[in-house]
Amino acid sequence: MKLWVLRHGEAHHQAPTDAERELTEAGRAEVLRSAAHLQGLALDAIYASPYVRAQQTAKLVRDALGHGEPMRTVAWLTPDQSPSAVITQLEAIKLENILLVSHQPLVSTLLGLLDNHEHHMGTASLAELDGEWPLAGLMTLKSLRHA
Protein backbone atom coordinates (compact mmCIF):
# COMPACT_ATOMS: atom_id res chain seq x y z
CA MET A 1 0.00 0.00 0.00
CA LYS A 2 1.15 3.53 -0.79
CA LEU A 3 -0.23 6.21 1.46
CA TRP A 4 0.23 9.95 1.00
CA VAL A 5 -0.72 12.27 3.83
CA LEU A 6 -1.20 15.96 3.04
CA ARG A 7 -1.85 18.67 5.56
CA HIS A 8 -4.14 21.42 4.26
CA GLY A 9 -2.58 24.66 3.03
CA GLU A 10 -2.35 27.85 5.06
CA ALA A 11 -5.80 29.02 6.17
CA HIS A 12 -7.28 32.28 7.37
CA HIS A 13 -7.46 32.60 11.14
CA GLN A 14 -10.82 34.38 11.14
CA ALA A 15 -13.98 32.38 10.56
CA PRO A 16 -17.21 31.72 12.48
CA THR A 17 -15.88 28.24 13.37
CA ASP A 18 -12.63 26.33 12.92
CA ALA A 19 -14.34 24.05 10.39
CA GLU A 20 -15.20 27.06 8.19
CA ARG A 21 -11.67 28.45 7.83
CA GLU A 22 -10.73 28.90 4.15
CA LEU A 23 -7.36 28.69 2.42
CA THR A 24 -5.40 31.90 1.88
CA GLU A 25 -3.88 32.67 -1.51
CA ALA A 26 -0.51 31.62 -0.07
CA GLY A 27 -2.15 28.40 1.10
CA ARG A 28 -3.44 27.68 -2.39
CA ALA A 29 0.04 28.19 -3.81
CA GLU A 30 1.50 25.84 -1.17
CA VAL A 31 -1.00 23.15 -2.07
CA LEU A 32 -0.20 23.41 -5.77
CA ARG A 33 3.53 23.04 -5.01
CA SER A 34 2.77 19.88 -3.04
CA ALA A 35 0.44 18.58 -5.75
CA ALA A 36 3.32 18.80 -8.23
CA HIS A 37 5.03 15.97 -6.31
CA LEU A 38 2.02 13.76 -7.02
CA GLN A 39 2.06 14.29 -10.80
CA GLY A 40 2.05 11.03 -12.73
CA LEU A 41 0.82 8.95 -9.80
CA ALA A 42 -2.27 6.82 -10.17
CA LEU A 43 -4.21 7.57 -7.00
CA ASP A 44 -7.06 5.20 -6.30
CA ALA A 45 -8.80 7.65 -3.99
CA ILE A 46 -8.55 11.01 -2.27
CA TYR A 47 -10.02 11.12 1.25
CA ALA A 48 -10.50 14.50 2.92
CA SER A 49 -11.73 15.99 6.16
CA PRO A 50 -15.08 17.80 5.86
CA TYR A 51 -13.47 21.07 7.08
CA VAL A 52 -13.50 23.77 4.38
CA ARG A 53 -9.71 24.19 4.16
CA ALA A 54 -9.19 20.43 3.72
CA GLN A 55 -11.94 20.26 1.10
CA GLN A 56 -10.35 23.16 -0.80
CA THR A 57 -6.93 21.50 -0.56
CA ALA A 58 -8.22 18.16 -1.83
CA LYS A 59 -10.08 19.81 -4.71
CA LEU A 60 -6.97 21.75 -5.76
CA VAL A 61 -4.94 18.53 -5.79
CA ARG A 62 -7.65 16.58 -7.61
CA ASP A 63 -7.94 19.28 -10.28
CA ALA A 64 -4.15 19.66 -10.64
CA LEU A 65 -3.77 15.91 -11.16
CA GLY A 66 -6.81 15.52 -13.39
CA HIS A 67 -8.04 12.83 -11.00
CA GLY A 68 -11.39 11.66 -12.34
CA GLU A 69 -12.77 10.13 -9.17
CA PRO A 70 -14.76 12.26 -6.72
CA MET A 71 -13.16 13.16 -3.40
CA ARG A 72 -14.37 11.12 -0.46
CA THR A 73 -15.30 13.28 2.52
CA VAL A 74 -14.91 11.45 5.83
CA ALA A 75 -15.39 12.56 9.42
CA TRP A 76 -12.49 10.37 10.59
CA LEU A 77 -9.96 12.91 9.22
CA THR A 78 -10.95 15.90 11.37
CA PRO A 79 -8.24 17.39 13.64
CA ASP A 80 -9.41 15.81 16.89
CA GLN A 81 -9.71 12.24 15.61
CA SER A 82 -7.60 9.44 17.01
CA PRO A 83 -4.81 8.20 14.73
CA SER A 84 -5.72 4.66 15.78
CA ALA A 85 -9.25 5.25 14.48
CA VAL A 86 -7.79 6.43 11.15
CA ILE A 87 -5.69 3.27 10.92
CA THR A 88 -8.80 1.18 11.59
CA GLN A 89 -10.56 2.97 8.72
CA LEU A 90 -7.55 2.48 6.42
CA GLU A 91 -7.50 -1.24 7.17
CA ALA A 92 -11.05 -1.50 5.83
CA ILE A 93 -10.19 0.25 2.55
CA LYS A 94 -9.12 -2.19 -0.11
CA LEU A 95 -7.16 0.27 -2.25
CA GLU A 96 -3.44 0.51 -2.95
CA ASN A 97 -2.75 4.24 -3.55
CA ILE A 98 -4.51 6.63 -1.20
CA LEU A 99 -4.16 10.34 -0.46
CA LEU A 100 -5.40 11.62 2.90
CA VAL A 101 -6.00 15.37 3.36
CA SER A 102 -6.27 16.41 6.98
CA HIS A 103 -5.04 18.64 9.82
CA GLN A 104 -2.68 19.00 12.75
CA PRO A 105 -2.31 17.41 15.20
CA LEU A 106 -3.76 14.34 13.49
CA VAL A 107 -1.36 14.21 10.52
CA SER A 108 1.86 14.35 12.58
CA THR A 109 0.57 11.91 15.18
CA LEU A 110 -0.63 9.51 12.47
CA LEU A 111 2.76 9.55 10.75
CA GLY A 112 4.50 8.89 14.04
CA LEU A 113 2.24 5.96 14.79
CA LEU A 114 2.62 4.42 11.32
CA ASP A 115 6.44 4.54 11.19
CA ASN A 116 7.45 4.85 14.88
CA HIS A 117 9.21 8.22 14.43
CA GLU A 118 8.27 11.74 15.45
CA HIS A 119 7.33 14.14 12.63
CA HIS A 120 6.05 17.68 12.25
CA MET A 121 3.99 18.66 9.25
CA GLY A 122 3.67 22.31 8.35
CA THR A 123 0.93 23.61 6.10
CA ALA A 124 0.79 21.71 2.80
CA SER A 125 3.46 19.23 3.94
CA LEU A 126 3.23 15.96 2.02
CA ALA A 127 4.34 12.59 3.39
CA GLU A 128 4.70 9.38 1.42
CA LEU A 129 4.49 6.08 3.26
CA ASP A 130 4.87 2.56 1.98
CA GLY A 131 3.98 -0.76 3.53
CA GLU A 132 2.08 -3.96 3.01
CA TRP A 133 -0.64 -2.93 5.45
CA PRO A 134 -1.44 0.32 7.31
CA LEU A 135 -0.53 -0.90 10.76
CA ALA A 136 1.16 0.94 13.60
CA GLY A 137 4.93 0.76 13.17
CA LEU A 138 4.79 -1.24 9.97
CA MET A 139 4.94 1.48 7.33
CA THR A 140 8.07 3.21 6.08
CA LEU A 141 8.25 6.95 5.52
CA LYS A 142 9.66 7.34 2.00
CA SER A 143 9.58 11.14 1.87
CA LEU A 144 8.36 14.18 3.74
CA ARG A 145 8.19 17.37 1.70
CA HIS A 146 7.40 20.78 3.12
CA ALA A 147 5.81 23.41 0.86
Side-chain angles (χ1 to χ4, degrees):
M1 164 184 243
K2 284 266 195 193
L3 179 65
W4 288 269
V5 179
L6 177 62
R7 182 178 173 201
H8 63 80
E10 177 188 87
H12 292 284
H13 296 289
Q14 301 294 324
T17 67
D18 183 44
E20 296 174 85
R21 292 175 49 212
E22 295 187 14
L23 293 178
T24 64
E25 285 305 314
R28 291 175 185 280
E30 287 176 332
V31 169
L32 293 175
R33 284 193 299 273
S34 290
H37 296 292
L38 296 168
Q39 288 293 334
L41 299 176
L43 292 175
D44 294 323
I46 298 173
Y47 288 85
S49 158
Y51 286 26
V52 171
R53 60 192 180 275
Q55 290 287 302
Q56 290 172 327
T57 296
K59 183 176 182 338
L60 283 168
V61 171
R62 190 188 87 203
D63 292 349
L65 300 179
H67 185 69
E69 297 292 317
M71 298 179 315
R72 300 172 190 199
T73 301
V74 293
W76 47 267
L77 286 176
T78 55
D80 58 345
Q81 290 299 309
S82 157
S84 297
V86 173
I87 290 173
T88 299
Q89 293 294 328
L90 289 172
E91 289 173 349
I93 298 170
K94 305 295 184 207
L95 301 172
E96 289 296 314
N97 299 296
I98 301 169
L99 172 65
L100 304 180
V101 180
S102 190
H103 315 265
Q104 282 290 55
L106 178 61
V107 289
S108 291
T109 308
L110 178 63
L111 288 183
L113 187 59
L114 288 171
D115 85 336
N116 280 333
H117 293 89
E118 219 172 282
H119 303 284
H120 176 74
M121 294 188 62
T123 55
S125 288
L126 176 66
E128 176 187 358
L129 296 120
D130 192 30
E132 291 192 31
W133 202 249
L135 294 175
L138 293 182
M139 295 197 83
T140 302
L141 182 68
K142 295 295 193 180
S143 68
L144 177 56
R145 295 181 169 101
H146 303 287

